[in-house]
Amino acid sequence: MNIPKTSYPRIVIIGGGFAGVALAKKLSKQEVQVVLLDRNNYHTFQPLLYQVSTGGLEPDSIAYPIRKILKDFPNFYFRLANVEEIDTNKNKVRTDIGHLKFDYLIVASGSKTNFFGNSEIEKHSMAMKTIPQSLNLRSLILENFEDALLTSDLNERNALMNFVIVGGGPTGVELAGALAEIKKGILPKDYPDLDTRMAQINLIQSGDVLLKGMSAKASEKAEVFLEKLGVIVWKNLRVTNYDGFTVTTNSDLTFKTQTLVWAAGVKGAIIRGLDGIEFTSKSKRVLVNEFNQVKGFDHIFAIGDIAEMVTLNYPNGFPMTAQPAIQQGDQLGDNLLRFIENKPMKPFVYKNKGTMATIGRNKAVVDLKKFKFQGIFAWYVWMFVHLFFLIGFRNRMVVFVNWVYNYVRFDREARLIIRPYKKRLKKN
Amino acid sequence: MNIPKTSYPRIVIIGGGFAGVALAKKLSKQEVQVVLLDRNNYHTFQPLLYQVSTGGLEPDSIAYPIRKILKDFPNFYFRLANVEEIDTNKNKVRTDIGHLKFDYLIVASGSKTNFFGNSEIEKHSMAMKTIPQSLNLRSLILENFEDALLTSDLNERNALMNFVIVGGGPTGVELAGALAEIKKGILPKDYPDLDTRMAQINLIQSGDVLLKGMSAKASEKAEVFLEKLGVIVWKNLRVTNYDGFTVTTNSDLTFKTQTLVWAAGVKGAIIRGLDGIEFTSKSKRVLVNEFNQVKGFDHIFAIGDIAEMVTLNYPNGFPMTAQPAIQQGDQLGDNLLRFIENKPMKPFVYKNKGTMATIGRNKAVVDLKKFKFQGIFAWYVWMFVHLFFLIGFRNRMVVFVNWVYNYVRFDREARLIIRPYKKRLKKN
């Protein structure tokens, strides 16, 4: 790869998510060379992907050009590349655009959807971890409504208007809420000749609470909010298969649907070279020590979703969310500079700043360390926090304009099928 | 097709562009049934497509859900359909979702890129008539810069950074100006390791003026503005072929480029059933009389780009732009209602409200009936008019926010490769 050799140590970061970007920012203007590799030229603000899927926001509002984040840093290099293998013996990475030697490697490759080995579900269901996936889901939802108009077979129409979301975490809960609002606000206006009552939103959770990991009050309230919006919540139900038509479960319940959204789990986006059992946990995360060093190495690190740091309070690693990723990226920046200067590194301590989820207009749940609250005030806090953490002034402004508009008008105007999903499926 | 039969006459409109939407709006709340067919579920504001291509705007800012435009009209039906044939004997249209009988048919299918029969240019060049095409061009431009970083072969790098735009009409001029601003404002910041001087923007015009049809002063000024921005303008030069690597011309000049944008002409998007020579002109437009009736029929009409109404001042039909389309759609609404009531229709008279084009920040040319002006005031007028004609309050707000941001920061933040173009090409 075409990166100049300098006397500075070369730090290669794989992944421009929350962790990778936080680290790169910290290393800016230091006496190191930083090479950031990502398969996209943009950073994705994943917590708002569900709003792209439901036509509330466009991709550019929640994506940000990586080159722009780091444009003032003279020793920074970005390359649009897919990392295929890490060679820990020769200290280099192999990518689709060539090899690259590193002095320090930081794996921040994030996570991907976990189908738990079920290839049929993987084939027929929709995931929502990337912008193209979210746009596909948006197209599919709208195409389903258009197709529902064309059939006189009520079973088929039902299946087209029936949405099944698997996974009661924040993604599943927020998507279910947004779909319920589309059913209520958009469907009757856009499709007066469709019976809105046929549109069903089912949220399936294998355990006995939604938003596991949040407070009991938050879980409970989230469920109440969802049911108020008309979402049908199924608890203690496990999806066993989906063939594109019928969802089967571990009970005798089945669902006929054309749309199964799989938000039931994630696993580390592991890269060959670190995929041996000596490096990874059951959830394909890379095991690291308290300095984020990968087991067995001192110059290879992992941060964010891909890293599993086992601590007393978090025996299975930290939650795979933005907060630990940002904090680890941030701290590793300091630690790396110390390490290069042969100073001792500081162990990472996760500060849980709280968790939150939105269910719909005026409806959110927020757990802070000291305060836990639900409802309209929580919703304002949720919006403020998300606006604050978005990168870029323009993104904040555009998201704000959209949110105000959507709120005042009960509307979502990006209900556009720019790239049809079903037609493409048929072609392939 | 699944449309209820009523006692109202059924008016079928093919196409939700400027003409079709203007007509449908006019017919709302009248005693007719209106069925609008379009292959997209959105209306496209085509004059701003070049800003989508150059990362200044996202699709949702210039697209608008068709269902939403007409949601308050009880006898209105929209169907997402591709019309494949018009059966003038049986008064029905054949589409990919079934047949539909009509009492009155209005063809408003618009225009498409005219490659003048050169299939090699068609295969290798980029067009910019639709949103997916514009997004493809955006991806390609950005992928070219990323690829330019990877090669040490200066000829290849040159070809990647060399942009050739064919056609000196508004589309070509506006795209060339926007690319020149990217070269100046984005390239040095995002790609400090690329030599910006290698980026060339060539605009090729077969005739001897740009913006043919506008005033001499406007044409002249547009050229001065473009050259100030560093665009290389070629006049009296005709592109003869492009094999994906080399553009050949009618002189001995050739251009090595990976990006040829073809904006050299449009032709009617004719539909089978009306494609006989008795109905169409050389440019594949449907010949209509002064009431927009298709030659030989009284209940089949054509409006907008697809219609060619020959008048004294416009022996080849009106310009294929938004204004005639909107005016014809609007007037045909009145005329149809008269026609149904057996009242005489009014002949269409085109009111040319003026033409304008923008070249870059503070640089535009405007020809009104009485006033012709160029420069910063023209630029404000251009922006105001385009904001005004955009459909929807939210679209206007979001476009406004983006324009202010882009102006103040010399920036275009939607430089995102959401769906890579080259990779997809390779896969197919």
Side-chain angles (χ1 to χ4, degrees):
Chain A
M1 212 182 293
N2 212 349
I3 310 277
K5 273 197 106 159
T6 62
S7 58
Y8 293 144
R10 178 184 290 163
I11 299 172
V12 173
I13 305 171
I14 303 174
F18 286 114
V21 164
L23 171 61
K25 274 183 175 171
K26 203 70 184 228
L27 293 176
S28 69
K29 294 170 191 162
Q30 301 297 329
E31 296 194 322
V32 290
Q33 183 188 62
V34 177
V35 182
L36 179 60
L37 307 173
D38 197 295
R39 66 171 65 125
N40 293 314
N41 78 333
Y42 54 86
H43 165 82
T44 306
F45 190 77
Q46 292 190 9
L48 291 177
L49 279 174
Y50 81 97
Q51 296 213 0
V52 171
S53 296
T54 48
L57 292 175
E58 271 293 82
D60 78 326
S61 310
I62 66 159
Y64 199 86
I66 292 177
R67 292 193 173 279
K68 176 162 171 145
I69 303 177
L70 298 149
K71 71 179 162 50
D72 297 325
F73 176 24
N75 296 316
F76 174 77
Y77 295 85
F78 171 76
R79 288 294 180 273
L80 190 64
N82 192 16
V83 178
E84 288 158 354
E85 190 169 8
I86 298 164
D87 186 337
T88 55
N89 292 317
K90 294 185 180 156
N91 286 339
K92 64 181 186 182
V93 292
R94 195 166 62 77
T95 79
D96 56 348
I97 59 165
H99 297 258
L100 184 67
K101 291 275 268 177
F102 58 80
D103 296 308
Y104 301 92
L105 178 69
I106 289 85
V107 184
S109 50
S111 56
K112 52 185 187 181
T113 306
N114 194 350
F115 296 97
F116 304 102
N118 189 320
S119 58
E120 236 191 326
I121 292 181
E122 180 166 359
K123 188 177 165 196
H124 297 291
S125 73
M126 307 297 290
M128 216 176 60
K129 282 286 287 177
T130 67
I131 286 181
Q133 283 174 350
S134 303
L135 287 172
N136 285 345
L137 178 56
R138 181 204 283 182
S139 289
L140 178 63
I141 293 167
L142 296 167
E143 286 174 281
N144 279 345
F145 291 140
E146 295 296 335
D147 287 351
L149 281 172
L150 304 180
T151 179
S152 315
D153 176 341
L154 284 189
N155 284 329
E156 196 191 338
R157 194 184 281 184
N158 245 327
L160 286 162
M161 295 176 72
N162 191 18
F163 298 91
V164 178
I165 302 163
V166 188
T171 306
V173 166
E174 295 185 335
L175 180 65
L179 277 175
E181 292 198 330
I182 287 178
K183 175 185 169 177
K184 214 171 131 188
I186 310 278
L187 214 53
K189 282 187 232 157
D190 270 16
Y191 301 89
D193 34 348
L194 275 185
D195 185 346
T196 316
R197 292 169 303 179
M198 291 183 89
Q200 282 199 356
I201 296 117
N202 293 284
L203 179 64
I204 301 180
Q205 161 71 340
S206 58
D208 56 0
V209 287
L210 298 180
L211 301 176
K212 207 179 87 181
M214 289 191 73
S215 63
K217 184 80 187 159
S219 299
E220 207 177 284
K221 259 301 185 151
E223 200 176 328
V224 172
F225 286 152
L226 282 172
E227 282 174 347
K228 239 184 215 167
L229 282 168
V231 173
I232 306 163
V233 179
W234 305 85
K235 292 188 294 188
N236 298 308
L237 188 65
R238 192 179 292 275
V239 169
T240 52
N241 211 354
Y242 177 56
D243 60 1
F245 301 96
T246 307
V247 181
T248 55
T249 65
N250 62 346
S251 85
D252 53 357
L253 280 170
T254 59
F255 299 80
K256 299 272 178 200
T257 181
Q258 301 244 352
T259 316
L260 182 81
V261 182
W262 189 258
V266 289
K267 61 180 177 184
I270 201 72
I271 297 165
R272 214 189 316 160
L274 283 183
D275 53 354
I277 41 160
E278 68 267 45
F279 304 125
T280 51
S281 71
K282 225 176 69 186
S283 55
K284 293 279 173 200
R285 297 172 85 184
V286 176
L287 295 164
V288 295
N289 66 12
E290 70 269 39
F291 309 114
N292 283 98
Q293 282 166 312
V294 177
K295 241 182 153 173
F297 301 100
D298 57 2
H299 65 306
I300 301 182
F301 300 76
I303 51 177
D305 280 6
I306 187 71
E308 184 159 320
M309 189 186 289
V310 176
T311 57
L312 258 179
N313 289 331
Y314 298 93
N316 298 313
F318 304 119
M320 292 159 89
T321 59
Q323 276 306 317
I326 294 169
Q327 290 176 30
Q328 286 182 348
D330 209 49
Q331 173 155 348
L332 183 57
D334 287 333
N335 272 341
L336 262 181
L337 297 171
R338 284 168 192 276
F339 191 68
I340 290 168
E341 292 171 3
N342 281 314
K343 290 183 192 158
M345 296 191 284
K346 285 187 187 164
F348 177 76
V349 179
Y350 173 48
K351 287 173 211 70
N352 184 358
K353 294 187 176 166
T355 46
M356 48 183 75
T358 186
I359 293 96
R361 56 188 300 121
N362 302 337
K363 294 182 188 68
V365 293
V366 173
D367 283 359
L368 301 182
K369 212 168 180 179
K370 295 199 174 164
F371 305 100
K372 301 187 195 322
F373 45 98
Q374 302 87 31
I376 187 163
F377 180 66
W379 191 66
Y380 285 120
V381 170
W382 180 93
M383 283 196 295
F384 176 80
V385 168
H386 282 75
L387 278 178
F388 181 82
F389 275 100
L390 266 178
I391 298 178
F393 175 74
R394 189 199 63 103
N395 282 7
R396 286 182 200 142
M397 277 296 292
V398 170
V399 169
F400 181 72
V401 167
N402 275 297
W403 282 356
V404 170
Y405 179 85
N406 296 348
Y407 183 72
V408 175
R409 300 293 299 266
F410 292 76
D411 203 357
R412 277 139 213 264
E413 273 194 358
R415 47 185 189 273
L416 314 166
I417 308 170
I418 302 286
R419 314 246 196 200
Y421 178 70
K422 286 188 188 177
K423 273 191 193 159
R424 253 185 302 141
L425 268 192
K426 277 179 206 156
K427 268 188 195 165
N428 291 342
Chain B
M1 213 181 295
N2 212 349
I3 311 277
K5 272 198 107 161
T6 63
S7 58
Y8 293 145
R10 177 183 293 163
I11 299 172
V12 173
I13 305 172
I14 304 175
F18 286 114
V21 164
L23 170 62
K25 274 184 174 172
K26 203 70 185 227
L27 294 175
S28 69
K29 293 168 191 166
Q30 302 296 330
E31 298 195 322
V32 290
Q33 183 188 63
V34 176
V35 182
L36 178 60
L37 306 173
D38 197 296
R39 64 171 68 123
N40 294 313
N41 78 333
Y42 53 86
H43 165 82
T44 306
F45 191 76
Q46 293 191 9
L48 291 178
L49 279 175
Y50 81 96
Q51 298 212 358
V52 171
S53 295
T54 50
L57 293 175
E58 271 294 81
D60 78 325
S61 310
I62 65 159
Y64 199 86
I66 292 177
R67 291 192 174 281
K68 179 163 167 140
I69 303 177
L70 298 148
K71 70 179 163 50
D72 296 324
F73 176 24
N75 295 317
F76 173 77
Y77 295 85
F78 172 75
R79 287 295 180 273
L80 190 63
N82 190 17
V83 178
E84 288 157 353
E85 190 169 8
I86 298 164
D87 185 336
T88 54
N89 292 319
K90 293 185 181 157
N91 286 340
K92 66 180 184 180
V93 291
R94 194 166 62 78
T95 79
D96 57 347
I97 59 166
H99 297 257
L100 185 67
K101 291 274 270 177
F102 58 82
D103 295 309
Y104 301 92
L105 178 70
I106 289 88
V107 184
S109 50
S111 56
K112 53 186 185 179
T113 306
N114 193 350
F115 296 97
F116 303 102
N118 190 319
S119 59
E120 237 191 325
I121 292 181
E122 180 166 0
K123 188 176 165 197
H124 297 291
S125 72
M126 308 297 289
M128 216 175 62
K129 281 288 286 179
T130 68
I131 286 181
Q133 284 174 350
S134 303
L135 288 171
N136 285 345
L137 178 56
R138 182 204 283 184
S139 289
L140 178 62
I141 293 167
L142 296 167
E143 287 174 280
N144 280 344
F145 290 140
E146 295 296 334
D147 286 350
L149 282 172
L150 303 180
T151 179
S152 315
D153 177 341
L154 285 188
N155 284 330
E156 197 191 338
R157 192 184 284 184
N158 244 328
L160 285 162
M161 296 176 69
N162 192 19
F163 297 91
V164 178
I165 302 162
V166 187
T171 306
V173 165
E174 296 186 335
L175 179 65
L179 277 175
E181 292 197 329
I182 286 179
K183 174 185 171 177
K184 214 170 132 187
I186 310 280
L187 214 51
K189 283 187 233 159
D190 270 16
Y191 301 88
D193 35 347
L194 274 184
D195 185 345
T196 316
R197 291 169 304 181
M198 291 183 90
Q200 282 199 357
I201 296 116
N202 293 284
L203 180 63
I204 301 180
Q205 161 70 340
S206 59
D208 56 1
V209 287
L210 298 180
L211 302 176
K212 208 179 86 181
M214 289 191 73
S215 64
K217 184 79 187 160
S219 300
E220 208 177 283
K221 258 303 187 150
E223 200 176 330
V224 171
F225 286 151
L226 282 172
E227 282 175 347
K228 241 185 212 166
L229 282 169
V231 174
I232 306 163
V233 179
W234 304 86
K235 293 187 294 189
N236 298 308
L237 188 66
R238 194 179 290 274
V239 169
T240 51
N241 211 354
Y242 176 56
D243 59 3
F245 301 96
T246 307
V247 181
T248 54
T249 65
N250 62 347
S251 83
D252 52 359
L253 280 170
T254 59
F255 299 80
K256 299 271 178 201
T257 181
Q258 301 243 352
T259 316
L260 183 82
V261 182
W262 190 258
V266 289
K267 60 180 178 184
I270 201 74
I271 296 165
R272 213 187 320 160
L274 282 183
D275 53 354
I277 41 161
E278 67 267 44
F279 303 125
T280 51
S281 70
K282 226 175 69 185
S283 54
K284 294 278 173 200
R285 299 172 84 184
V286 175
L287 295 164
V288 296
N289 66 13
E290 70 269 40
F291 310 114
N292 283 98
Q293 281 165 312
V294 176
K295 241 181 151 172
F297 300 100
D298 57 2
H299 64 308
I300 302 182
F301 299 76
I303 50 177
D305 280 6
I306 186 71
E308 184 160 321
M309 189 187 289
V310 177
T311 57
L312 257 180
N313 289 330
Y314 297 93
N316 298 313
F318 304 120
M320 290 159 90
T321 58
Q323 275 306 317
I326 294 170
Q327 291 176 30
Q328 285 181 350
D330 208 50
Q331 173 154 350
L332 182 57
D334 288 333
N335 271 341
L336 264 180
L337 297 172
R338 284 169 194 275
F339 191 70
I340 290 168
E341 291 172 4
N342 280 317
K343 290 183 194 160
M345 297 191 283
K346 285 187 187 164
F348 177 75
V349 180
Y350 172 48
K351 286 173 212 71
N352 183 358
K353 293 187 177 168
T355 46
M356 49 183 74
T358 186
I359 294 96
R361 57 190 299 122
N362 302 337
K363 293 181 188 69
V365 294
V366 173
D367 284 359
L368 300 184
K369 210 167 180 183
K370 294 199 173 163
F371 306 99
K372 300 186 197 322
F373 44 99
Q374 302 87 29
I376 187 162
F377 179 65
W379 191 65
Y380 285 120
V381 170
W382 181 92
M383 284 197 294
F384 176 79
V385 167
H386 281 76
L387 278 178
F388 181 82
F389 275 100
L390 267 177
I391 298 177
F393 176 75
R394 190 199 63 105
N395 281 6
R396 284 181 201 145
M397 276 298 290
V398 171
V399 169
F400 182 71
V401 166
N402 275 297
W403 283 355
V404 169
Y405 179 86
N406 296 348
Y407 183 72
V408 174
R409 298 294 298 267
F410 291 77
D411 205 354
R412 275 140 214 264
E413 272 193 0
R415 46 185 189 274
L416 314 166
I417 309 172
I418 302 286
R419 314 247 196 201
Y421 178 70
K422 285 188 188 177
K423 273 192 194 156
R424 252 185 302 142
L425 268 192
K426 277 179 207 155
K427 267 189 197 162
N428 290 342

